[in-house]
Amino acid sequence: MASNENKFIDRAPFILAAGKLSDNLGDSVANCLKQYSVDDASKALKYFANAKNAKPVYEPEPYKNKIQRGVYTEIRTILQPAVKTRYQTLINELKETSYESHWNKCIGKSRDPIPGLPKGLNPLEVTFGIKSNKDESVKELVNPPKGVYQVLTENQIAHEMYKKSHNDYNVGERICRNYLSPAFDSSKRFGERTKFDPRGIWVRCACTWHQNEPVVYTNKIQADFLNKTRNKLGECLRPNNIGEQLPKDFVYGKPAVRDLYGVEELLKDGDCPPCQFKRDLKCWLMSFNKMKQNLFKRFTLEFTPNDLAKSLLYYDGDQSGTLPLETFYKVCSCHRFTFDRANLEPLLRLLSIICEDKILYMKFLDIVDSKTPPLQLMKIQDVPERNQYYLSSSQAAVCDYLLINNASSPPAGIPSIRYDLSRPIVPHGGCRADLENLGDECSAAILLNPSVYCNYGLSFRDFFLPRKPDVLRSLFEKVGYEIDDASFEKLWTEGVDQDKTGSVCVDTFNNLVQKYNGEHKKLKIDEATC
């Protein structure tokens, strides 16, 4: 590029033009625009030198299907944000102070009232306004001690003023709409005038039937059909004149009185007469349940069991919890509460609620409450003991009645560890673990080469079990020893001192017999007789 030096006159030398003087002749535009400082060049060389030696960073391919991404989704950065330093946290909090909600609308806190209050005023101690005069309790404000007539009287005060402002009218009160008098007559009525007579003759005429069968025009065939199939007012439905074919005292429905021999009594033996007390008790319970259901329907929000209890408590002057039966019946009848006295009084006497013509009314209210469980009565043994244990035909055929009680017998099989036998005594020089942790088997050598005892089903543990004196004496006498009473008592006492279990094992007693062998000689006996 050609230089422009000495070709123009600079008339304002104090103004410096932008850019760089093109004093290098022959340079291209690209070389002129590429201006690097020494620092930039050194940093570039270092970067290229490290880029060649650095390991390539592995970037996995983006998941095409979002289902296969796993935890590497966009929400991961929200659920696991990067941990900020204290400086970053402080900067973020300072940025939030520029918003109004940071000072006036704090989340989970009330607005700070201190900046708007006078200096030195504590909002936790100073209150504004006039202190209310608490001259009445909350109970008197919510439920004032006023009667019904007093409330109605006070309600009518200033009632005329509330008609127009609040549209407040009493029940059945006519609404005055202030219509103009000439165009509107308040005495006029709509509809047809009724046949009213103050003597009440029309009421008597309406309540009296002059003819039982109204005279109407109808078809005779239709009238006969309706007379046979439809019931008449006050009469039972008897289609097709079936009542003429039935007995005179015939009634419909289930009979109220049970037969003496019902299904339950016929299933019993012939020598078991029906229990009259059980039959009466069922009748009492039936009446009691009916009364309990009627009371459940009778008790409402307006009339509760507490109201009945208060009425009964009013007549109980001495607060004894009892009332005479006549007084109790009168109070119940006043509340339209009646029941069958013939069936309920015996049941209440059985439950000790009625005693000597007085009733425990609180206990009576407890049992008739629908929330209480049913009555728990005693079991009636109406079947004699000789008829309670019987045999059916199938049991008698297969002899199932010969029951065997195996409660005290051991279970089938022999367990590996004989807990059913007494604990054996550890012999002198023996190992206690062999007796406690091993089964009935002996050592491996004995299993490979069993002894005479093992062939007969005996193990070394059988020689160390504590035995009673009569068992030991009979055992050794069968073997061939003759031991008198004094010698046996001596051997037994010494054996008890050695074993210290209150009994003596066979091994200890055998050692004692061998010790005093001179006194007790063994006789030769035949094994067949033994």
Side-chain angles (χ1 to χ4, degrees):
M1 181 184 290
S3 176
N4 56 3
E5 188 177 0
N6 299 325
K7 290 183 179 181
F8 300 97
I9 300 174
D10 189 5
R11 300 187 184 278
F14 56 89
I15 300 176
L16 301 178
K20 187 181 180 182
L21 296 177
S22 56
D23 53 352
N24 297 328
L25 301 176
D27 291 343
S28 62
V29 178
N31 293 333
C32 293
L33 293 177
K34 291 180 179 180
Q35 294 295 330
Y36 292 97
S37 61
V38 180
D39 295 336
D40 295 338
S42 62
K43 290 180 180 179
L45 292 175
K46 290 179 180 180
Y47 174 75
F48 287 114
N50 294 331
K52 293 179 181 180
N53 298 329
K55 295 181 180 180
V57 179
Y58 174 74
E59 295 181 358
E61 296 181 1
Y63 292 95
K64 296 180 181 181
N65 190 358
K66 294 183 178 181
I67 301 177
Q68 299 177 355
R69 288 184 178 181
V71 297
Y72 298 97
T73 56
E74 291 83 356
I75 200 173
R76 183 182 182 185
T77 56
I78 300 175
L79 296 177
Q80 296 180 354
V83 181
K84 297 181 181 180
T85 60
R86 294 184 179 180
Y87 180 73
Q88 292 176 349
T89 305
L90 180 61
I91 293 300
N92 292 336
E93 292 180 356
L94 292 176
K95 290 180 180 180
E96 294 291 334
T97 56
S98 61
Y99 299 104
E100 182 183 1
S101 60
H102 180 78
W103 304 99
N104 296 332
K105 299 178 182 179
C106 303
I107 299 177
K109 298 180 181 178
S110 60
R111 181 178 296 181
D112 188 9
I114 295 178
L117 297 176
K119 187 177 181 180
L121 182 64
N122 189 2
L124 302 178
E125 298 178 358
V126 180
T127 56
F128 298 94
I130 301 174
K131 187 176 181 180
S132 59
N133 186 14
K134 301 179 181 179
D135 54 346
E136 295 183 2
S137 61
V138 179
K139 178 182 178 182
E140 296 177 354
L141 293 176
V142 176
N143 190 10
K146 296 180 180 180
V148 179
Y149 296 102
Q150 184 179 357
V151 174
L152 295 176
T153 305
E154 294 178 355
N155 191 23
Q156 298 300 321
I157 298 175
H159 176 65
E160 297 294 334
M161 296 187 296
Y162 282 96
K163 286 184 179 180
K164 187 176 182 180
S165 60
H166 293 76
N167 196 19
D168 182 26
Y169 291 91
N170 295 327
V171 179
E173 184 179 0
R174 184 178 180 181
I175 301 176
C176 182
R177 305 187 185 276
N178 297 324
Y179 294 144
L180 298 177
S181 180
F184 173 73
D185 188 6
S186 60
S187 61
K188 289 184 177 181
R189 301 291 185 272
F190 297 95
E192 185 179 357
R193 183 180 181 85
T194 58
K195 298 179 180 180
F196 171 74
D197 195 328
R199 294 175 297 174
I201 58 177
W202 295 109
V203 178
R204 182 181 61 185
C205 181
C207 294
T208 304
W209 289 3
H210 297 281
Q211 294 181 357
N212 295 330
E213 297 182 358
V215 179
V216 294
Y217 292 96
T218 183
N219 191 359
K220 185 177 184 303
I221 299 176
Q222 182 182 4
D224 294 341
F225 174 77
L226 296 178
N227 190 23
K228 292 180 180 180
T229 56
R230 291 189 179 181
N231 57 335
K232 298 180 182 180
L233 184 63
E235 295 183 4
C236 181
L237 177 61
R238 296 178 181 179
N240 301 324
N241 295 326
I242 195 175
E244 298 177 359
Q245 303 176 7
L246 297 175
K248 183 177 180 181
D249 299 333
F250 182 81
V251 293
Y252 295 93
K254 186 179 179 180
V257 181
R258 290 180 54 194
D259 295 336
L260 182 61
Y261 285 91
V263 178
E264 181 181 357
E265 287 76 15
L266 293 176
L267 290 176
K268 298 178 182 179
D269 295 338
D271 56 345
C272 296
C275 182
Q276 187 63 31
F277 175 74
K278 188 174 182 179
R279 292 169 55 86
D280 295 342
L281 182 62
K282 289 183 178 180
C283 295
W284 301 344
L285 292 177
M286 181 177 63
S287 301
F288 176 78
N289 292 331
K290 287 183 179 179
M291 178 197 63
K292 197 171 182 179
Q293 292 176 2
N294 295 333
L295 277 179
F296 178 73
K297 298 177 182 178
R298 175 71 180 85
F299 290 145
T300 58
L301 296 176
E302 299 177 356
F303 179 69
T304 61
N306 293 333
D307 298 336
L308 181 59
K310 290 179 181 178
S311 301
L312 296 173
L313 189 62
Y314 174 78
Y315 289 96
D316 188 9
D318 53 354
Q319 305 294 328
S320 61
T322 60
L323 280 177
L325 283 177
E326 296 300 329
T327 306
F328 176 76
Y329 292 144
K330 289 181 181 179
V331 175
C332 293
S333 61
C334 292
H335 294 282
R336 293 180 296 166
F337 171 33
T338 58
F339 44 85
D340 189 2
R341 297 174 58 177
N343 289 334
L344 287 177
E345 283 191 8
L347 179 62
L348 297 179
R349 293 183 186 277
L350 180 64
L351 298 176
S352 300
I353 297 178
I354 296 180
C355 298
E356 298 179 358
D357 295 336
K358 287 189 177 182
I359 184 172
L360 300 172
Y361 55 89
M362 295 304 297
K363 194 173 181 180
F364 173 78
L365 294 177
D366 291 339
I367 64 172
V368 299
D369 191 2
S370 59
K371 298 180 181 179
T372 56
L375 296 176
Q376 299 293 335
L377 301 176
M378 68 286 192
K379 184 177 179 181
I380 302 175
Q381 297 293 347
D382 56 336
V383 180
E385 188 176 358
R386 65 178 182 277
N387 299 98
Q388 292 181 2
Y389 303 98
Y390 58 90
L391 296 177
S392 61
S393 58
S394 59
Q395 287 181 342
V398 297
C399 297
D400 286 348
Y401 64 93
L402 299 177
L403 301 177
I404 301 175
N405 188 9
N406 297 325
S408 59
S409 302
I414 299 177
S416 58
I417 301 177
R418 300 299 299 272
Y419 290 108
D420 54 335
L421 300 179
S422 303
R423 189 183 185 90
I425 303 171
V426 181
H428 182 69
C431 181
R432 184 176 181 180
D434 295 340
L435 298 176
E436 293 181 353
N437 301 325
L438 296 180
D440 292 340
E441 296 81 4
C442 301
S443 61
I446 296 178
L447 292 176
L448 295 176
N449 188 13
S451 62
V452 179
Y453 304 108
C454 294
N455 292 333
Y456 282 95
L458 297 176
S459 64
F460 66 95
R461 288 179 176 80
D462 295 326
F463 293 92
F464 297 102
L465 291 175
R467 308 289 182 177
K468 294 183 179 179
D470 53 347
V471 176
L472 283 177
R473 186 165 186 174
S474 62
L475 180 62
F476 278 83
E477 287 180 353
K478 289 181 180 180
V479 173
Y481 288 96
E482 293 182 357
I483 307 174
D484 54 357
D485 296 339
S487 301
F488 181 81
E489 188 68 26
K490 178 181 177 182
L491 295 175
W492 176 261
T493 305
E494 189 173 353
V496 170
D497 295 339
Q498 292 184 10
D499 291 348
K500 297 180 180 180
T501 58
S503 301
V504 182
C505 63
V506 176
D507 185 71
T508 304
F509 197 82
N510 187 29
N511 294 333
L512 294 175
V513 170
Q514 298 298 331
K515 181 179 178 181
Y516 303 101
N517 192 14
E519 300 178 6
H520 311 285
K521 295 182 179 181
K522 186 176 181 181
L523 302 177
K524 293 182 179 181
I525 61 174
D526 189 5
E527 294 184 359
T529 59
C530 184

